[in-house]
Amino acid sequence: MSTIAPERHKEDVIRHDDDFSFEAVPSKNRRSFWAVGFVMLGFTFFSASMSVGAKLGNGLNFSQYVWAVIVGGAILAVYTGALGYIGAKTGLSFDLMSRRTFGRIGSFLPSALISFTQMGWFGVGVAMFAIPTAETLHINAWPVVIIAGGLMTASAYFGIKAIEIVSFISVPLIAILGSYSMISAVNAGGGIAAVFGQNQGMTTVAAIGLVIGSFVSGGSATPNFTRFAKSATSAVITTVIAFFIGNTLMFSFGAVGGAFTGKDDIFYVMIAQGLLIPALIVLGANIWTTNNNALYTTGLGYANITGINKKPLVLVAGIIGTLGALWLYDNFVGWLSLLNATLPPIGAVLVADYFARRSSYMDLGSNEPEVKWAPIVALIAGALTGWLTPGFGIVSINAMVVAILVYFVGSAIEKGIRR
């Protein structure tokens, strides 16, 4: 297995931290298949995916639902699997890989975009737990926000080992309790076909777009976790399981719950089933596993931009996200969704550049330019495509295809100019 260290600019200082913010993960620090697998499953176990599942359950019949999650999940798995492969092969985080792709200073743009977006979703996630919990317990939301945000920030602060512990505990709880609730709802509803009923007007293509869009942006951060995998093969397997099977499970929780009760979250379904304590456990564990990964990604991105170690930056981002949680939930979801259109082109360009220039990613002595304009222009073109064509086809696929085409055309023009 090959690993590389990122190029060092003359102003950079060789630095080390426990989460390898500025260097490749060495072979001796790689984690087991199960450790990486549970972290990846925890990443994809997110309540927002259940909301997408509820839309699918209310808009499709069962046959269409199955096709939507299979096709959409397969596309999502290919995208994240490619990023996971590169992360394990190089040992580099998303941000250090971006230095190779976009240049030292050019990498600040993708780092800022993914960090800002993930910090925003962290705050939204805290609110997604605090608001229904406070309503159920008949208390003010702020104490729940502070406690939940503090715990989630702590696990991200202590890094990949703490994230593993949270995931090892939370993933089985979510899977077992959620599956029990879903099966009970299906039995009470007269079977799976009866629960889903008839198509309510949603097309299968639109449903596939929802499946892909549900996590294609967050999936761009996959290398941050698969860089700890012992091999590229295990990284791809864990990523595909997480984004194909794990994400489908979350869709199914939401789809059955949405079709059976009209609610879009397993939390409310379980409340209706008289399962208050399990509902609180599932909701908290569900959001925690994704939020600590999001905040961890935020810290790595800001570390790349500032040169400061990840841990203090995680604390700052966690405090901002926690204090702004309720405001973010009420005012920022639309803007975050807009930013989501920007992230898939970043991953697409990164994958294209890696396979086009693989040797440069493995060359310890290579010196990348400050800014690489072909990838930057490709990223901008892809993002604009995602923003400006919301009603045409599958937005994230459109954005990625345009970004890749512009990347190869721009790279060819740059080569011609250098000659």
Side-chain angles (χ1 to χ4, degrees), residues 333-394:
V333 172
W335 176 235
L336 287 170
S337 297
L338 180 65
L339 286 176
N340 278 353
T342 309
L343 300 184
I346 298 175
V349 172
L350 195 154
V351 170
D353 188 70
Y354 172 79
F355 286 106
R357 306 186 313 112
R358 192 179 314 192
S359 59
S360 69
Y361 280 73
M362 300 299 177
D363 183 2
L364 291 172
S366 74
N367 291 310
E368 300 290 356
E370 298 283 78
V371 177
K372 297 178 68 176
W373 289 109
I376 291 289
V377 172
L379 162 59
I380 294 171
L384 288 174
T385 300
W387 293 345
L388 299 177
T389 61
F392 178 74
I394 300 173

Side-chain angles (χ1 to χ4, degrees), residues 231-280:
S231 71
T233 300
S234 69
V236 172
I237 292 172
T238 56
T239 301
V240 170
I241 290 173
F243 282 92
F244 189 69
I245 298 176
N247 220 21
T248 296
L249 187 61
M250 299 310 297
F251 292 144
S252 299
F253 289 167
V256 172
F260 182 62
T261 67
K263 302 292 185 179
D264 64 357
D265 197 311
I266 196 70
F267 173 78
Y268 293 106
V269 177
M270 295 177 78
I271 292 293
Q273 294 171 325
L275 303 171
L276 174 60
I277 299 302
L280 290 173

Side-chain angles (χ1 to χ4, degrees), residues 371-375 409-419:
V371 177
K372 297 178 68 176
W373 289 109
V409 171
S411 296
I413 292 173
E414 282 188 340
K415 288 180 181 177
I417 292 174
R418 285 197 294 268
R419 288 174 184 171

Side-chain angles (χ1 to χ4, degrees), residues 12-342:
D12 284 347
V13 177
I14 301 297
R15 291 150 295 177
H16 170 77
D17 63 23
D18 293 339
D19 284 290
F20 306 98
S21 305
F22 308 105
E23 59 188 312
V25 178
S27 297
K28 66 179 181 179
N29 294 98
R30 300 297 180 105
R31 319 295 290 178
S32 70
F33 173 88
W34 294 108
V36 176
F38 271 82
V39 168
M40 292 305 299
L41 278 171
F43 191 29
T44 58
F45 278 18
F46 189 37
S47 288
S49 296
M50 289 191 282
S51 297
V52 174
K55 293 178 182 177
L56 299 176
N58 286 314
L60 303 171
N61 60 38
F62 182 63
S63 176
Q64 289 177 303
Y65 171 77
V66 170
W67 277 111
V69 296
I70 288 176
V71 176
I75 294 172
L76 193 59
V78 169
Y79 172 70
T80 56
L83 287 170
Y85 171 87
I86 300 170
K89 202 71 176 172
T90 63
L92 298 178
S93 67
F94 168 89
D95 303 281
L96 296 182
M97 288 162 59
S98 293
R99 285 196 169 204
R100 291 287 190 193
T101 305
F102 299 97
R104 190 185 73 87
I105 295 176
S107 71
F108 294 176
L109 176 59
S111 288
L113 287 170
I114 198 168
S115 299
F116 187 66
T117 305
Q118 292 301 298
M119 184 177 71
W121 280 117
F122 170 84
V124 171
V126 171
M128 288 176 68
F129 172 73
I131 292 172
T133 300
E135 289 176 352
T136 302
L137 300 178
H138 305 291
I139 60 175
N140 186 277
W142 270 110
V144 185
V145 167
I146 299 301
I147 293 171
L151 290 173
M152 294 172 188
T153 299
S155 60
Y157 174 84
F158 287 110
I160 196 70
K161 293 181 181 179
I163 293 174
E164 282 177 16
I165 293 171
V166 172
S167 298
F168 272 121
I169 296 170
S170 298
V171 167
L173 282 173
I174 297 167
I176 293 169
L177 294 174
S179 296
Y180 171 80
S181 173
M182 180 177 65
I183 292 169
S184 298
V186 169
N187 290 335
I192 194 73
V195 169
F196 274 83
Q198 301 299 312
N199 178 279
Q200 300 297 314
M202 181 182 293
T203 66
T204 305
V205 172
I208 292 171
L210 283 175
V211 170
I212 297 170
S214 67
F215 229 102
V216 69
S217 299
S220 301
T222 297
N224 290 340
F225 311 105
T226 60
R227 66 196 174 114
F228 288 95
K230 288 185 180 294
S231 71
T233 300
S234 69
V236 172
I237 292 172
T238 56
T239 301
V240 170
I241 290 173
F243 282 92
F244 189 69
I245 298 176
N247 220 21
T248 296
L249 187 61
M250 299 310 297
F251 292 144
S252 299
F253 289 167
V256 172
F260 182 62
T261 67
K263 302 292 185 179
D264 64 357
D265 197 311
I266 196 70
F267 173 78
Y268 293 106
V269 177
M270 295 177 78
I271 292 293
Q273 294 171 325
L275 303 171
L276 174 60
I277 299 302
L280 290 173
I281 292 172
V282 167
L283 181 67
N286 201 336
I287 292 174
W288 193 345
T289 55
T290 301
N291 259 17
N292 58 14
N293 292 48
L295 201 58
Y296 181 84
T297 292
T298 300
L300 289 174
Y302 289 154
N304 180 49
I305 296 170
T306 64
I308 300 172
N309 284 347
K310 174 189 74 71
K311 285 190 173 182
L313 296 173
V314 165
L315 287 181
V316 171
I319 291 170
I320 294 172
T322 299
L323 295 179
L326 297 179
W327 181 86
L328 287 165
Y329 184 81
D330 290 332
N331 299 282
F332 213 51
V333 172
W335 176 235
L336 287 170
S337 297
L338 180 65
L339 286 176
N340 278 353
T342 309

